[in-house]
Amino acid sequence: VIDISKLYGQTGMFTYDPGFTSTASCESQITYIDGDEGVLLHRGYPIEQLAEHGDFLETCYLLLYGELPTAAQKADFDYRVTRHTMVHEQMARFFQGFRRDAHPMAVMVASVGAMSAFYHDSTDISDPQQRMIASMRMIAKMPTLAAMAYKYTIGQPFVYPLNSLDYTSNFLRMCFAVPAEDYKVNPVLSRAMDRIFTLHADHEQNASTSTVRLAGSSGANPFACIAAGVACLWGPAHGGANEAALKMLEEIGSVDNIPKYIAKAKDKNDPFRLMGFGHRVYKNYDPRAKIMQKTTHEVLAELGVKDDPLLDVAMELERIALHDEYFVEKKLYPNIDFYSGITLKAMGFPTSMFTVLFALARTVGWIAQWKEMIEDPSQRIGRPRQLYTGSPKRDYTPIGRR
Ligand code: ACO
């Protein structure tokens, strides 16, 4: 708290907290993080248990409704999500307007925002039933949009959803099936992808979720709010870090080069950072990174990848960083993005799709947080204050006299 009375035109006291390191913007019952202990709970359930024993749609149900589903509730939820996987056929034509070399995240920002033009029947946020329909539509259609963004940018025809498949297998098929060939979803890869989705489902008030809440606080429709979240997620300090982490591992190239990069990361005059290390909240091992590391090994074993040089670099980098004084002192541990890139690459996704996959999974967190905010009677429009440090009032000088 600082005294602003000495600044121009301001009176009273308020908190000044750049980056919101110690300011809570809302109350929430969805996700709990203990960054010092490395704990992540959704509605009280540890992420490790959800990722190990449940599937992604079960976590979606939990985040949206607050409790784990019974078998009947789960079957009904899966059915309702599945029924909404198709997108309006006009959306396929909407995609044709993009350049083929567009980044798939650019396509996602636009196509998610465009959902409000195609599904305006569920933009009435005052109706609880419409809010739920909008939520189901978002969760169900994100994989279809993500797969379309991918297919479009590689010049292949869209593959329509096959709703006899489970959510994640359906998504993998939409990405990797081609009309000329048979495609059978590998259950090990589908399970790994599903676990990756679960790990990314929600993470309380991170930058993109706060963006969704702030956009929603004005009464904007849910599709517009999620598009705002997708745009925010794209940045390399946030969801774009998985892409950046893999690029960094490729750039390092071999274990011999690691000391050079560690030195760069420690050099105050060098802006380089070890991508995939550090977290605003976790000052301990990110619990998701541990599960991700295990998943990486499972995927590489299933695909028969032995002696992957990227994995060698990652393991050695992790080993060195965990013992290096600089990283220990600053509590910089590997975060979830450190391993997800290697796994997704092995599964066949190009780096440009990594953040899209993150957005797909985080959609449920965004929508659950958006719903919680709309349903909170104390909710007000988000309107941060500022410290004005500009010029005091002065008179306009005509252009000829400046
Ligand atoms: N490599 C080297 N040094 C680092 C790193 C890193 N990855 N991360 C932080 N530091 C250093 C900073 O230079 C700073 O040093 P200083 O105190 O001497 O100035 C100190 O650690 C604290 O860093 P901040 O940037 O103040 O920490 P903040 O909480 O604001 O940032 C962030 C967190 C953005 C995640 C940061 O650690 C980072 O840039 N990491 C790399 C990008 C990344 O992996 N992002 C993914 C985040 S997880 C997610 O979105 C799913």
Side-chain angles (χ1 to χ4, degrees):
V1 180
I2 61 167
D3 183 357
I4 60 168
S5 58
K6 291 192 178 61
L7 292 174
Y8 177 76
Q10 285 158 115
T11 53
M13 308 275 275
F14 61 76
T15 53
Y16 172 52
D17 184 10
F20 304 107
T21 54
S22 52
T23 301
S25 60
C26 62
E27 278 183 30
S28 181
Q29 299 183 356
I30 301 174
T31 292
Y32 171 82
I33 302 175
D34 182 335
D36 294 327
E37 295 298 324
V39 171
L40 169 62
L41 311 177
H42 292 318
R43 306 280 191 186
Y45 295 102
I47 186 66
E48 293 87 345
Q49 294 179 21
L50 293 170
E52 186 68 34
H53 305 301
D55 67 11
F56 176 62
L57 284 190
E58 189 176 37
T59 296
C60 290
Y61 186 100
L62 177 69
L63 292 173
L64 278 178
Y65 293 97
E67 293 298 336
L68 286 170
T70 62
Q73 287 167 332
K74 174 71 166 54
D76 174 63
F77 184 72
D78 288 4
Y79 175 73
R80 284 188 293 139
V81 169
T82 302
R83 276 194 45 213
H84 285 284
T85 51
M86 287 285 284
V87 294
H88 197 294
E89 190 54 22
Q90 279 296 107
M91 282 212 79
R93 292 191 243 300
F94 172 79
F95 272 78
Q96 307 300 330
F98 294 109
R99 283 170 58 136
R100 289 274 176 192
D101 60 356
H103 194 290
M105 273 303 273
V107 176
M108 288 304 283
V109 173
S111 57
V112 172
M115 295 263 288
S116 26
F118 290 102
Y119 301 100
H120 43 80
D121 52 324
S122 58
T123 55
D124 176 7
I125 63 162
S126 64
D127 179 347
Q129 207 189 341
Q130 288 303 334
R131 288 201 293 269
M132 195 41 103
I133 292 174
S135 305
M136 301 296 280
R137 280 180 161 158
M138 270 315 321
I139 295 166
K141 294 182 199 306
M142 270 311 254
T144 314
L145 292 182
M148 286 169 90
Y150 174 55
K151 286 294 198 188
Y152 186 76
T153 53
I154 58 168
Q156 288 185 3
F158 298 138
V159 175
Y160 284 73
L162 180 61
N163 292 336
S164 54
L165 293 177
D166 65 79
Y167 184 86
T168 303
S169 301
N170 197 6
F171 170 65
L172 290 177
R173 182 181 163 278
M174 285 192 283
C175 287
F176 296 123
V178 282
E181 290 167 24
D182 281 342
Y183 180 80
K184 204 167 169 322
V185 181
N186 178 324
V188 175
L189 299 189
S190 177
R191 178 75 191 115
M193 185 81 253
D194 197 78
R195 195 178 302 130
I196 295 171
F197 288 162
T198 303
L199 296 179
H200 286 86
D202 191 50
H203 213 230
E204 52 117 307
Q205 308 313 316
N206 55 82
S208 57
T209 303
S210 301
T211 301
V212 170
R213 278 189 178 254
L214 194 56
S217 76
S218 73
N221 74 68
F223 307 112
C225 296
I226 302 299
V230 177
C232 177
L233 186 75
W234 195 1
H238 192 10
N242 50 16
E243 188 174 341
L246 190 83
K247 280 188 184 146
M248 180 195 73
L249 292 176
E250 285 171 341
E251 191 186 310
I252 295 176
S254 97
V255 168
D256 301 340
N257 293 329
I258 292 176
K260 193 172 88 197
Y261 283 86
I262 295 263
K264 269 166 78 63
K266 286 156 60 170
D267 182 353
K268 275 244 155 268
N269 300 314
D270 190 327
F272 175 78
R273 286 184 170 203
L274 277 190
M275 299 314 285
F277 277 79
H279 197 275
R280 170 60 63 78
V281 183
Y282 291 117
K283 301 303 170 197
N284 199 324
Y285 222 108
D286 178 342
R288 302 168 303 168
K290 284 190 193 157
I291 310 168
M292 199 63 237
Q293 189 193 39
K294 190 171 152 242
T295 306
T296 303
H297 287 289
E298 282 170 16
V299 166
L300 296 184
E302 174 65 19
L303 295 173
V305 180
K306 288 196 190 93
D307 305 324
D308 181 17
L310 286 187
L311 191 63
D312 292 346
V313 172
M315 300 282 277
E316 183 61 7
L317 192 60
E318 180 181 6
R319 194 189 63 76
I320 295 177
L322 287 177
H323 294 93
D324 186 281
E325 208 181 304
Y326 173 92
F327 289 86
V328 172
E329 190 205 314
K330 293 190 188 298
K331 300 193 167 110
L332 299 170
Y333 293 86
N335 57 47
I336 186 171
D337 295 321
F338 187 62
Y339 278 103
S340 61
I342 303 170
T343 323
L344 297 173
K345 179 173 181 271
M347 290 172 82
F349 288 104
T351 47
S352 59
M353 277 298 287
F354 293 178
T355 316
V356 173
L357 301 173
F358 190 162
L360 187 172
R362 183 54 58 84
T363 294
V364 64
W366 290 330
I367 208 85
Q369 301 265 354
W370 170 81
K371 260 176 91 290
E372 183 179 59
M373 179 196 62
I374 296 291
E375 288 159 15
D376 176 357
S378 66
Q379 187 266 324
R380 303 169 74 188
I381 186 166
R383 201 332 183 163
R385 302 295 304 275
Q386 65 164 9
L387 284 184
Y388 178 69
T389 55
S391 167
K393 184 173 180 236
R394 49 186 167 161
D395 288 326
Y396 179 85
T397 321
I399 196 162
R401 282 205 270 122
R402 283 175 224 161

